[in-house]
Amino acid sequence: MRTKFAFLVHPRNTLRSDMGQLFGAPFALIPDATWSAAFARLPVPPMITGRMSYADAPDEMVGSIITVPLTPTQLLTLPRTKVQAKISAAIDKARDLGATIVGLGALTAPASAGGKAFQKRTDVGVTNGNAFTAAMTLLGMERLMSRMRPDPLIALVGATGSVGSCLTRLYARKHAGGRLLLVARNRGRLDSLADEVRGKGVEASVSTEMADVARADLIVLLTSATDALLRSEHLKRGAVVLDDTVPRNTDSRLIADRPDVLIVDGGLIETPGVNLRGTIGLPPKHAYACLAETMLLALDGHKGHFSIGTPQVEQAEHLLSLATEHRQFGFNLAPFRSFGKLISEPASKAAVHADQDLVPWVA
Ligand SMILES: NC(=O)c1ccc[n+]([C@@H]2O[C@H](COP(=O)([O-])OP(=O)(O)OC[C@H]3O[C@@H](n4cnc5c(N)ncnc54)[C@H](OP(=O)(O)O)[C@@H]3O)[C@@H](O)[C@H]2O)c1
């Protein structure tokens, strides 16, 4: 039986514009510093900023979007207890609204160790949404790889994280003989993940330096860094980038600086059978993969927690089968966009450079 769900979000680095979108244009006039100070010092409660329903019962609100009043930097740098108390208050609100499963969107997952901070809660289930994100990111990579020359070197930046580890393992299951460059800051975790996937026949190298990404043909961004980590000097000519991160690890200035590079927005799912009142900063009828995971679990009547910490590949596969079961609502990989704009053939022809020998892109 279907249950109710809630999904936690937070303002992005575009704080003023996000708050203006949520509460009306005058709020976009308040400077970022004032918003940040208010979030840090005042007891601003979690806010319901969206309501969701399914197309087959449009009047029945089954999902709530709840905004945690913290900036990306605050989520990762304020004292853990303070941050997790704010996220926990949002989970309380979700439970009071009748949700049985709560998805931890964007940096609310890294800020709570992938949801481990809430593992002891028994009043409501929690999922970090990263199993379905990993599964759909692999589909996105495969769609891009089908247009690239054979045997590309793929850099997974943030490979040891919750999405990253699950994705690395899913890739290794299907692509023995593939070439991965695993990138993060902690060398020990990288070495251990690389050893594991070498055992599955993947040719894996590791690096703690972004400069090494310049060797890769396809770069998948999966870090919890709050700013634009990937710069022009990290990109080889004709590289293709799939950016899953929220807030993004790529800056739109890269488009002008590097017209030879294709930057694709990752982790976006089409949900034509789902209605949203409010905004999550995406085109209509689109959802983040982690929100889609939360919806799938609610549609399945799931009880208890699901993806906590690093999800198992079996959990990702279970969600793929739920997506097939509930395909009347969508749940398929969205046509590719770059910084929100649908990738049209002429733009991508320019971006998909001859160096890569790619067939012309058709979105
Ligand atoms: N589009 C979607 O639907 C969707 C869904 C889920 C998550 N996400 C996004 O995916 C990202 C990752 O989430 P997560 O839960 O997997 O985070 P996580 O578990 O905290 O993992 C973060 C990874 O990034 C690495 N990292 C952090 N800062 C780095 C830096 N400055 N340079 C290089 N590596 C760095 C970490 O390893 P080290 O600490 O060793 O560096 C780790 O491997 C977030 O931006 C999140 O919002 C998007």
mmCIF file of all heavy atoms in Angstrom, residues 106-107 109-110 128 130 133 157-164 183-186 189 222-225 229 244-247 266-267 288-290, ligand 1:
data_model
loop_
_atom_site.group_PDB
_atom_site.id
_atom_site.type_symbol
_atom_site.label_atom_id
_atom_site.label_comp_id
_atom_site.label_asym_id
_atom_site.label_seq_id
_atom_site.Cartn_x
_atom_site.Cartn_y
_atom_site.Cartn_z
ATOM 1 N N ALA A 106 20.219 16.422 -1.225
ATOM 2 C CA ALA A 106 21.454 17.223 -1.357
ATOM 3 C C ALA A 106 22.398 17.002 -0.177
ATOM 4 O O ALA A 106 22.695 15.866 0.173
ATOM 5 C CB ALA A 106 21.098 18.696 -1.559
ATOM 6 N N LEU A 107 22.848 18.075 0.494
ATOM 7 C CA LEU A 107 23.887 17.912 1.518
ATOM 8 C C LEU A 107 23.336 17.510 2.881
ATOM 9 O O LEU A 107 24.101 17.352 3.830
ATOM 10 C CB LEU A 107 24.711 19.197 1.635
ATOM 11 C CG LEU A 107 25.499 19.571 0.372
ATOM 12 C CD1 LEU A 107 26.348 20.822 0.623
ATOM 13 C CD2 LEU A 107 26.393 18.432 -0.108
ATOM 14 N N ALA A 109 22.321 14.657 3.411
ATOM 15 C CA ALA A 109 22.866 13.285 3.571
ATOM 16 C C ALA A 109 24.319 13.335 4.051
ATOM 17 O O ALA A 109 24.630 12.795 5.128
ATOM 18 C CB ALA A 109 22.706 12.490 2.277
ATOM 19 N N PRO A 110 25.247 13.990 3.300
ATOM 20 C CA PRO A 110 26.624 14.056 3.821
ATOM 21 C C PRO A 110 26.708 14.654 5.230
ATOM 22 O O PRO A 110 27.539 14.226 6.038
ATOM 23 C CB PRO A 110 27.347 14.965 2.811
ATOM 24 C CG PRO A 110 26.574 14.831 1.545
ATOM 25 C CD PRO A 110 25.145 14.595 1.957
ATOM 26 N N ASN A 128 18.854 7.926 2.225
ATOM 27 C CA ASN A 128 19.649 9.040 1.669
ATOM 28 C C ASN A 128 19.452 9.176 0.162
ATOM 29 O O ASN A 128 19.971 10.123 -0.446
ATOM 30 C CB ASN A 128 21.134 8.913 2.037
ATOM 31 C CG ASN A 128 21.748 7.595 1.590
ATOM 32 O OD1 ASN A 128 21.419 7.078 0.534
ATOM 33 N ND2 ASN A 128 22.657 7.063 2.404
ATOM 34 N N ASN A 130 20.653 7.531 -2.211
ATOM 35 C CA ASN A 130 21.860 7.373 -3.023
ATOM 36 C C ASN A 130 21.923 6.062 -3.808
ATOM 37 O O ASN A 130 22.723 5.935 -4.734
ATOM 38 C CB ASN A 130 23.099 7.525 -2.136
ATOM 39 C CG ASN A 130 23.234 8.949 -1.630
ATOM 40 O OD1 ASN A 130 22.587 9.851 -2.164
ATOM 41 N ND2 ASN A 130 24.050 9.171 -0.614
ATOM 42 N N THR A 133 20.228 6.968 -7.041
ATOM 43 C CA THR A 133 21.111 7.947 -7.704
ATOM 44 C C THR A 133 22.276 7.225 -8.377
ATOM 45 O O THR A 133 22.611 7.509 -9.536
ATOM 46 C CB THR A 133 21.652 8.958 -6.667
ATOM 47 O OG1 THR A 133 20.529 9.575 -6.020
ATOM 48 C CG2 THR A 133 22.507 10.021 -7.328
ATOM 49 N N VAL A 157 34.951 11.325 -9.387
ATOM 50 C CA VAL A 157 35.483 12.255 -8.389
ATOM 51 C C VAL A 157 34.521 12.269 -7.197
ATOM 52 O O VAL A 157 33.370 12.685 -7.346
ATOM 53 C CB VAL A 157 35.655 13.676 -8.981
ATOM 54 C CG1 VAL A 157 36.336 14.589 -7.977
ATOM 55 C CG2 VAL A 157 36.435 13.629 -10.287
ATOM 56 N N GLY A 158 35.015 11.786 -6.052
ATOM 57 C CA GLY A 158 34.129 11.542 -4.907
ATOM 58 C C GLY A 158 33.741 10.073 -4.893
ATOM 59 O O GLY A 158 32.682 9.693 -4.387
ATOM 60 N N ALA A 159 34.653 9.230 -5.454
ATOM 61 C CA ALA A 159 34.353 7.798 -5.644
ATOM 62 C C ALA A 159 34.108 7.065 -4.339
ATOM 63 O O ALA A 159 33.402 6.058 -4.319
ATOM 64 C CB ALA A 159 35.510 7.139 -6.396
ATOM 65 N N THR A 160 34.697 7.540 -3.230
ATOM 66 C CA THR A 160 34.575 6.790 -1.977
ATOM 67 C C THR A 160 33.349 7.192 -1.160
ATOM 68 O O THR A 160 33.141 6.676 -0.063
ATOM 69 C CB THR A 160 35.835 6.998 -1.113
ATOM 70 O OG1 THR A 160 36.055 8.408 -1.001
ATOM 71 C CG2 THR A 160 37.042 6.330 -1.727
ATOM 72 N N GLY A 161 32.547 8.131 -1.681
ATOM 73 C CA GLY A 161 31.373 8.598 -0.937
ATOM 74 C C GLY A 161 30.214 7.604 -1.038
ATOM 75 O O GLY A 161 30.369 6.487 -1.557
ATOM 76 N N SER A 162 29.073 8.052 -0.539
ATOM 77 C CA SER A 162 27.892 7.187 -0.497
ATOM 78 C C SER A 162 27.404 6.870 -1.918
ATOM 79 O O SER A 162 27.253 5.702 -2.291
ATOM 80 C CB SER A 162 26.813 7.897 0.332
ATOM 81 O OG SER A 162 25.631 7.172 0.335
ATOM 82 N N VAL A 163 27.184 7.885 -2.745
ATOM 83 C CA VAL A 163 26.807 7.637 -4.143
ATOM 84 C C VAL A 163 27.988 7.000 -4.867
ATOM 85 O O VAL A 163 27.847 6.005 -5.589
ATOM 86 C CB VAL A 163 26.437 8.957 -4.883
ATOM 87 C CG1 VAL A 163 26.038 8.638 -6.325
ATOM 88 C CG2 VAL A 163 25.334 9.723 -4.189
ATOM 89 N N GLY A 164 29.189 7.587 -4.639
ATOM 90 C CA GLY A 164 30.377 7.179 -5.390
ATOM 91 C C GLY A 164 30.718 5.706 -5.221
ATOM 92 O O GLY A 164 30.977 5.003 -6.210
ATOM 93 N N VAL A 183 38.924 9.246 -7.566
ATOM 94 C CA VAL A 183 39.503 10.468 -6.992
ATOM 95 C C VAL A 183 38.740 10.873 -5.729
ATOM 96 O O VAL A 183 37.504 10.843 -5.715
ATOM 97 C CB VAL A 183 39.449 11.636 -8.015
ATOM 98 C CG1 VAL A 183 40.106 12.899 -7.457
ATOM 99 C CG2 VAL A 183 40.106 11.238 -9.335
ATOM 100 N N ALA A 184 39.475 11.213 -4.688
ATOM 101 C CA ALA A 184 38.925 11.805 -3.451
ATOM 102 C C ALA A 184 40.132 12.304 -2.664
ATOM 103 O O ALA A 184 41.259 12.335 -3.203
ATOM 104 C CB ALA A 184 38.126 10.775 -2.659
ATOM 105 N N ARG A 185 39.950 12.680 -1.389
ATOM 106 C CA ARG A 185 41.100 13.188 -0.631
ATOM 107 C C ARG A 185 41.732 12.123 0.248
ATOM 108 O O ARG A 185 42.926 12.164 0.509
ATOM 109 C CB ARG A 185 40.653 14.391 0.232
ATOM 110 C CG ARG A 185 40.238 15.601 -0.593
ATOM 111 C CD ARG A 185 39.474 16.607 0.232
ATOM 112 N NE ARG A 185 38.296 15.980 0.843
ATOM 113 C CZ ARG A 185 37.428 16.586 1.620
ATOM 114 N NH1 ARG A 185 37.590 17.867 1.899
ATOM 115 N NH2 ARG A 185 36.401 15.943 2.145
ATOM 116 N N ASN A 186 40.955 11.152 0.719
ATOM 117 C CA ASN A 186 41.491 10.140 1.640
ATOM 118 C C ASN A 186 42.050 8.941 0.861
ATOM 119 O O ASN A 186 41.301 8.171 0.245
ATOM 120 C CB ASN A 186 40.364 9.687 2.583
ATOM 121 C CG ASN A 186 40.843 8.671 3.600
ATOM 122 O OD1 ASN A 186 41.323 7.609 3.242
ATOM 123 N ND2 ASN A 186 40.721 9.019 4.867
ATOM 124 N N ARG A 189 40.988 5.076 1.814
ATOM 125 C CA ARG A 189 39.670 4.619 1.334
ATOM 126 C C ARG A 189 39.709 4.378 -0.178
ATOM 127 O O ARG A 189 39.086 3.442 -0.691
ATOM 128 C CB ARG A 189 38.592 5.645 1.686
ATOM 129 C CG ARG A 189 38.199 5.609 3.163
ATOM 130 C CD ARG A 189 36.832 6.246 3.401
ATOM 131 N NE ARG A 189 36.863 7.692 3.242
ATOM 132 C CZ ARG A 189 37.055 8.547 4.241
ATOM 133 N NH1 ARG A 189 37.224 8.109 5.472
ATOM 134 N NH2 ARG A 189 37.064 9.842 4.029
ATOM 135 N N LEU A 222 30.899 13.621 -7.983
ATOM 136 C CA LEU A 222 30.079 13.010 -6.924
ATOM 137 C C LEU A 222 30.532 13.465 -5.552
ATOM 138 O O LEU A 222 30.342 12.749 -4.568
ATOM 139 C CB LEU A 222 30.226 11.481 -7.012
ATOM 140 C CG LEU A 222 29.955 10.843 -8.363
ATOM 141 C CD1 LEU A 222 30.708 9.532 -8.522
ATOM 142 C CD2 LEU A 222 28.476 10.624 -8.554
ATOM 143 N N THR A 223 31.182 14.630 -5.452
ATOM 144 C CA THR A 223 31.733 15.031 -4.150
ATOM 145 C C THR A 223 30.708 15.818 -3.335
ATOM 146 O O THR A 223 29.695 16.282 -3.855
ATOM 147 C CB THR A 223 33.006 15.908 -4.276
ATOM 148 O OG1 THR A 223 32.625 17.272 -4.385
ATOM 149 C CG2 THR A 223 33.888 15.499 -5.418
ATOM 150 N N SER A 224 31.030 16.009 -2.051
ATOM 151 C CA SER A 224 30.188 16.848 -1.193
ATOM 152 C C SER A 224 30.799 18.251 -1.080
ATOM 153 O O SER A 224 30.379 19.020 -0.216
ATOM 154 C CB SER A 224 30.070 16.205 0.188
ATOM 155 O OG SER A 224 31.362 15.903 0.681
ATOM 156 N N ALA A 225 31.769 18.579 -1.935
ATOM 157 C CA ALA A 225 32.349 19.931 -1.892
ATOM 158 C C ALA A 225 31.252 20.937 -2.221
ATOM 159 O O ALA A 225 30.373 20.661 -3.026
ATOM 160 C CB ALA A 225 33.492 20.039 -2.895
ATOM 161 N N LEU A 229 34.568 22.745 -7.943
ATOM 162 C CA LEU A 229 35.843 22.046 -7.777
ATOM 163 C C LEU A 229 36.547 21.841 -9.116
ATOM 164 O O LEU A 229 37.773 21.856 -9.209
ATOM 165 C CB LEU A 229 35.482 20.671 -7.196
ATOM 166 C CG LEU A 229 36.475 19.814 -6.502
ATOM 167 C CD1 LEU A 229 36.885 20.485 -5.204
ATOM 168 C CD2 LEU A 229 35.837 18.455 -6.209
ATOM 169 N N ASP A 244 26.710 15.260 -10.963
ATOM 170 C CA ASP A 244 25.590 14.866 -10.093
ATOM 171 C C ASP A 244 25.412 15.802 -8.907
ATOM 172 O O ASP A 244 24.435 15.673 -8.178
ATOM 173 C CB ASP A 244 25.901 13.479 -9.480
ATOM 174 C CG ASP A 244 25.231 12.339 -10.227
ATOM 175 O OD1 ASP A 244 24.877 12.529 -11.400
ATOM 176 O OD2 ASP A 244 25.074 11.256 -9.635
ATOM 177 N N THR A 245 26.363 16.671 -8.662
ATOM 178 C CA THR A 245 26.439 17.312 -7.346
ATOM 179 C C THR A 245 25.414 18.435 -7.143
ATOM 180 O O THR A 245 25.065 19.157 -8.071
ATOM 181 C CB THR A 245 27.853 17.878 -7.096
ATOM 182 O OG1 THR A 245 28.172 18.780 -8.157
ATOM 183 C CG2 THR A 245 28.883 16.783 -7.037
ATOM 184 N N VAL A 246 24.951 18.563 -5.919
ATOM 185 C CA VAL A 246 24.042 19.633 -5.482
ATOM 186 C C VAL A 246 24.538 20.080 -4.103
ATOM 187 O O VAL A 246 24.433 19.308 -3.152
ATOM 188 C CB VAL A 246 22.586 19.140 -5.346
ATOM 189 C CG1 VAL A 246 21.669 20.308 -5.006
ATOM 190 C CG2 VAL A 246 22.103 18.409 -6.589
ATOM 191 N N PRO A 247 25.115 21.286 -3.948
ATOM 192 C CA PRO A 247 25.398 22.289 -4.984
ATOM 193 C C PRO A 247 26.456 21.805 -5.961
ATOM 194 O O PRO A 247 27.283 20.959 -5.624
ATOM 195 C CB PRO A 247 25.891 23.491 -4.183
ATOM 196 C CG PRO A 247 26.403 22.939 -2.895
ATOM 197 C CD PRO A 247 25.585 21.726 -2.605
ATOM 198 N N GLY A 266 23.697 15.731 -13.999
ATOM 199 C CA GLY A 266 23.446 14.312 -13.684
ATOM 200 C C GLY A 266 22.350 14.120 -12.654
ATOM 201 O O GLY A 266 21.877 15.078 -12.029
ATOM 202 N N GLY A 267 21.917 12.883 -12.500
ATOM 203 C CA GLY A 267 20.979 12.517 -11.434
ATOM 204 C C GLY A 267 19.585 13.091 -11.604
ATOM 205 O O GLY A 267 18.878 13.288 -10.617
ATOM 206 N N TYR A 288 15.071 15.005 -8.682
ATOM 207 C CA TYR A 288 16.389 14.454 -8.398
ATOM 208 C C TYR A 288 16.214 12.951 -8.163
ATOM 209 O O TYR A 288 15.173 12.503 -7.644
ATOM 210 C CB TYR A 288 16.982 15.102 -7.137
ATOM 211 C CG TYR A 288 17.339 16.553 -7.333
ATOM 212 C CD1 TYR A 288 16.622 17.563 -6.697
ATOM 213 C CD2 TYR A 288 18.392 16.926 -8.159
ATOM 214 C CE1 TYR A 288 16.943 18.901 -6.877
ATOM 215 C CE2 TYR A 288 18.714 18.264 -8.343
ATOM 216 C CZ TYR A 288 17.992 19.240 -7.707
ATOM 217 O OH TYR A 288 18.306 20.557 -7.901
ATOM 218 N N ALA A 289 17.282 12.205 -8.484
ATOM 219 C CA ALA A 289 17.197 10.749 -8.319
ATOM 220 C C ALA A 289 16.940 10.382 -6.860
ATOM 221 O O ALA A 289 16.244 9.405 -6.569
ATOM 222 C CB ALA A 289 18.485 10.100 -8.820
ATOM 223 N N CYS A 290 17.478 11.162 -5.911
ATOM 224 C CA CYS A 290 17.276 10.823 -4.494
ATOM 225 C C CYS A 290 15.822 11.054 -4.073
ATOM 226 O O CYS A 290 15.282 10.311 -3.244
ATOM 227 C CB CYS A 290 18.252 11.587 -3.601
ATOM 228 S SG CYS A 290 18.448 13.310 -4.024
HETATM 229 N N1 LIG B 1 21.398 14.516 -8.350
HETATM 230 C C1 LIG B 1 20.915 13.750 -7.375
HETATM 231 O O1 LIG B 1 19.799 13.246 -7.404
HETATM 232 C C2 LIG B 1 21.760 13.485 -6.157
HETATM 233 C C3 LIG B 1 21.384 12.470 -5.283
HETATM 234 C C4 LIG B 1 22.196 12.195 -4.171
HETATM 235 C C5 LIG B 1 23.320 12.956 -3.934
HETATM 236 N N2 LIG B 1 23.622 13.976 -4.798
HETATM 237 C C6 LIG B 1 24.818 14.787 -4.600
HETATM 238 O O2 LIG B 1 25.963 13.933 -4.703
HETATM 239 C C7 LIG B 1 27.029 14.495 -3.929
HETATM 240 C C8 LIG B 1 27.661 13.410 -3.047
HETATM 241 O O3 LIG B 1 26.746 12.995 -2.048
HETATM 242 P P1 LIG B 1 27.147 11.799 -1.058
HETATM 243 O O4 LIG B 1 26.002 11.625 -0.128
HETATM 244 O O5 LIG B 1 27.650 10.631 -1.829
HETATM 245 O O6 LIG B 1 28.371 12.469 -0.260
HETATM 246 P P2 LIG B 1 29.475 11.761 0.669
HETATM 247 O O7 LIG B 1 29.046 10.403 1.071
HETATM 248 O O8 LIG B 1 29.816 12.735 1.741
HETATM 249 O O9 LIG B 1 30.747 11.566 -0.291
HETATM 250 C C9 LIG B 1 31.488 12.654 -0.748
HETATM 251 C C10 LIG B 1 32.684 12.145 -1.534
HETATM 252 O O10 LIG B 1 33.393 13.280 -2.034
HETATM 253 C C11 LIG B 1 34.752 13.237 -1.587
HETATM 254 N N3 LIG B 1 35.126 14.648 -1.423
HETATM 255 C C12 LIG B 1 34.592 15.561 -0.590
HETATM 256 N N4 LIG B 1 35.180 16.747 -0.776
HETATM 257 C C13 LIG B 1 36.112 16.585 -1.762
HETATM 258 C C14 LIG B 1 37.035 17.452 -2.390
HETATM 259 N N5 LIG B 1 37.156 18.739 -2.033
HETATM 260 N N6 LIG B 1 37.822 16.948 -3.371
HETATM 261 C C15 LIG B 1 37.730 15.640 -3.741
HETATM 262 N N7 LIG B 1 36.864 14.775 -3.182
HETATM 263 C C16 LIG B 1 36.057 15.244 -2.191
HETATM 264 C C17 LIG B 1 34.705 12.405 -0.293
HETATM 265 O O11 LIG B 1 35.921 11.740 0.009
HETATM 266 P P3 LIG B 1 37.100 12.463 0.837
HETATM 267 O O12 LIG B 1 36.477 12.998 2.083
HETATM 268 O O13 LIG B 1 38.127 11.393 1.033
HETATM 269 O O14 LIG B 1 37.604 13.542 -0.053
HETATM 270 C C18 LIG B 1 33.691 11.351 -0.720
HETATM 271 O O15 LIG B 1 34.317 10.404 -1.576
HETATM 272 C C19 LIG B 1 26.430 15.675 -3.162
HETATM 273 O O16 LIG B 1 26.684 16.868 -3.875
HETATM 274 C C20 LIG B 1 24.939 15.384 -3.200
HETATM 275 O O17 LIG B 1 24.139 16.555 -3.085
HETATM 276 C C21 LIG B 1 22.877 14.239 -5.898
#
